[in-house]
């Protein structure tokens, strides 16, 4: 009999019972996705995992297991001497690997021999992933959503953050996806999380909200960069009432020039974004944009892109939208006080429409 408990319960409430959730998979596996709040204490690093896998397939299962066991023993010993050195006798960890097999069992066995009350996640990460899929793809939620809508550059994300600071429940999808949602919205020098990690982050946020109360979300397309909004939320967003922020084009262009400063400084990223425009710009137009870049006239460039791409795309989508518009509110995107005032007005409207915040 193993000296540790076994569970398949991975809800947020279940996970909160443990002092730590330990993911013993390799760093690359952990980076792709992991249980929220988990710490990565790999029993095989990326190179060791590749080495053992190659030997297992090409040479000998026995040799692979022997070499792997040596790596695992050394790595667990290192964790005991470092990351786990200050854990008290009452320390209660939940341990998992990819499918609850040899890697997590090795860690659970040794940690239980130390005397800690250890629990192993049966089925490993795959058990957790089944929960995420069920919650975000297969479950219907009665969400009280309200969307902040408006043309690109109307400071929707800033207003959403102001609302969060006022105690209004919000979901920042762009923050979770690490992308500003538009064609030029990639964050310079940063890759988006995997789809699975994006979904884990979203589920963690949903679990932290009171779903009987209203939630404000920025209106988005079905994809934020390369990440798809899961059906449970996307279905609710398509019919949710909207508050539309309105601002003059010139003001929006100035806002975009400031907000997208990281992309403006990356000429290669700008050129790559130009290549992704649905309507390919003519050679003359592209040369004009390059002249604006060379002159540092990024507000002029933003205005040109608003005219050619952003506003036509938004207007086409708005004509097809069936969700009701609760209000239209004027905002000066570049003015922090204007953004706060609009957020305050939205908070009041949310209260009037849904009841208590």
């Amino acid at each position: 009999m193993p000296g540790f408990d076994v569970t398949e319960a991975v809800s947020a409430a279940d996970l909160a019972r443990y002092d730590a959730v330990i993911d013993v998979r390799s760093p690359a596996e952990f980076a792709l996705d992991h249980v929220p709040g988990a710490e990565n204490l790999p029993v095989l690093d990326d190179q060791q995992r590749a080495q053992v896998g190659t030997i297992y397939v090409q040479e000998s299962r026995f040799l692979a297991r022997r070499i792997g066991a040596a790596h695992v023993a050394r790595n667990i010993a290192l964790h005991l001497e470092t990351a786990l050195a200050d854990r008290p006798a009452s320390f209660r960890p939940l341990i998992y690997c990819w499918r609850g097999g040899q890697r997590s069992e090795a860690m659970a066995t040794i940690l239980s021999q130390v005397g800690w009350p250890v629990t192993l996640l049966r089925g490993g990460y795959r058990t957790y992933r089944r929960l995420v899929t069920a919650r975000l793809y297969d479950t219907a939620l009665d969400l009280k959503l309200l969307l902040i809508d408006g043309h690109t550059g109307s400071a929707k994300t800033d207003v959403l953050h102001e609302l969060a600071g006022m105690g209004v429940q919000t979901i920042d999808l762009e923050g979770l996806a690490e992308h500003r949602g538009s064609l030029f919205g990639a964050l310079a020098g940063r890759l988006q999380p995997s789809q699975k990690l994006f979904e884990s982050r979203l589920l963690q946020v949903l679990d932290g909200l009171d779903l009987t109360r209203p939630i404000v979300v920025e209106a988005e397309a079905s994809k934020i960069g390369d990440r798809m909004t899961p059906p449970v939320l996307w279905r609710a967003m398509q019919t949710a009432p909207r508050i539309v922020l309105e601002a003059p084009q010139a003001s929006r262009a100035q806002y975009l020039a400031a907000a997208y400063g990281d992309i403006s400084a990356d000429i290669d990223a700008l050129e790559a974004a130009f290549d992704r425009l649905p309507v390919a710009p003519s050679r003359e137009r592209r040369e004009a944009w390059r002249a604006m870049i060379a002159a540092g006239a990024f507000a002029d460039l933003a205005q040109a892109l608003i005219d050619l791409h952003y506003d036509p795309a938004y207007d086409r989508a708005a004509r097809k939208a069936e969700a009701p518009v609760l209000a239209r509110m004027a905002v000066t995107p570049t003015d922090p006080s204007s953004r706060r005032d609009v957020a305050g007005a939205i908070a009041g409207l949310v209260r009037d429409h849904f009841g208590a915040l």
Side-chain angles (χ1 to χ4, degrees), residues 19-41:
D19 297 320
V21 178
I22 298 176
D23 184 325
V24 303
R25 299 176 302 159
S26 69
E29 292 173 287
F30 183 83
L32 185 65
D33 187 31
H34 53 268
V35 174
E39 55 184 300
N40 188 208
L41 300 181

Side-chain angles (χ1 to χ4, degrees), residues 116-168:
W116 286 316
V118 174
T119 302
L120 178 74
L121 179 59
R122 179 184 285 122
Y125 166 80
R126 295 194 302 179
T127 295
Y128 162 73
R129 180 61 193 170
R130 283 194 294 271
L131 171 74
V132 175
T133 301
R135 293 278 305 280
L136 295 181
Y137 286 80
D138 305 328
T139 304
L141 291 179
D142 183 20
L143 298 173
K144 297 181 178 179
L145 292 188
L146 186 142
L147 301 191
I148 299 178
D149 204 351
H151 286 96
T152 299
S154 52
K156 298 183 292 292
T157 302
D158 291 281
V159 171
L160 187 75
H161 294 167
E162 292 285 352
L163 283 165
M166 295 175 180
V168 178

Side-chain angles (χ1 to χ4, degrees), residues 162-223:
E162 292 285 352
L163 283 165
M166 295 175 180
V168 178
Q169 293 194 130
T170 64
I171 300 176
D172 181 5
L173 289 171
E174 293 185 2
L176 298 176
E178 297 186 49
H179 195 283
R180 284 166 291 213
S182 62
L183 185 67
F184 292 78
L187 301 175
R190 288 167 59 182
L191 296 176
Q192 287 190 262
S194 70
Q195 179 69 31
K196 291 179 179 179
L197 182 54
F198 171 57
E199 292 171 2
S200 288
R201 292 174 175 179
L202 175 58
L203 183 58
Q204 184 179 23
V205 170
L206 285 170
D207 282 338
L209 298 176
D210 180 352
L211 301 188
T212 67
R213 295 167 49 212
I215 302 167
V216 180
V217 183
E218 182 177 344
E220 303 283 357
S222 60
K223 292 181 70 175

Side-chain angles (χ1 to χ4, degrees), residues 173-334:
L173 289 171
E174 293 185 2
L176 298 176
E178 297 186 49
H179 195 283
R180 284 166 291 213
S182 62
L183 185 67
F184 292 78
L187 301 175
R190 288 167 59 182
L191 296 176
Q192 287 190 262
S194 70
Q195 179 69 31
K196 291 179 179 179
L197 182 54
F198 171 57
E199 292 171 2
S200 288
R201 292 174 175 179
L202 175 58
L203 183 58
Q204 184 179 23
V205 170
L206 285 170
D207 282 338
L209 298 176
D210 180 352
L211 301 188
T212 67
R213 295 167 49 212
I215 302 167
V216 180
V217 183
E218 182 177 344
E220 303 283 357
S222 60
K223 292 181 70 175
I224 305 170
D226 291 328
R227 300 297 158 251
M228 181 189 74
T229 302
V232 68
L233 184 60
W234 177 241
R235 285 193 295 263
M237 290 174 65
Q238 287 179 293
T239 58
R242 298 163 183 255
I243 295 174
V244 179
L245 304 186
E246 297 182 329
Q249 279 193 353
S251 180
R252 291 190 282 124
Q254 291 173 358
Y255 172 84
L256 289 172
Y260 285 63
D262 58 330
I263 295 296
S264 300
D266 188 338
I267 305 303
D268 291 338
L270 278 174
E271 291 283 355
F274 295 158
D275 290 337
R276 294 193 298 271
L277 284 165
V279 178
S282 66
R283 184 174 61 182
E284 294 77 10
R285 176 170 278 156
R286 195 152 179 162
E287 288 301 323
W289 292 350
R290 287 172 177 156
M292 294 175 190
I293 294 169
F298 293 110
D300 292 339
L301 176 62
Q303 179 69 64
L305 291 167
I306 284 173
D307 288 334
L308 177 72
H309 170 67
Y310 283 123
D311 280 10
Y314 175 86
D315 292 340
R316 285 193 298 271
R319 285 193 293 270
K320 297 177 183 178
E322 299 178 0
V325 174
L326 292 185
R328 297 181 181 275
M329 298 184 179
V331 63
T332 303
T334 55

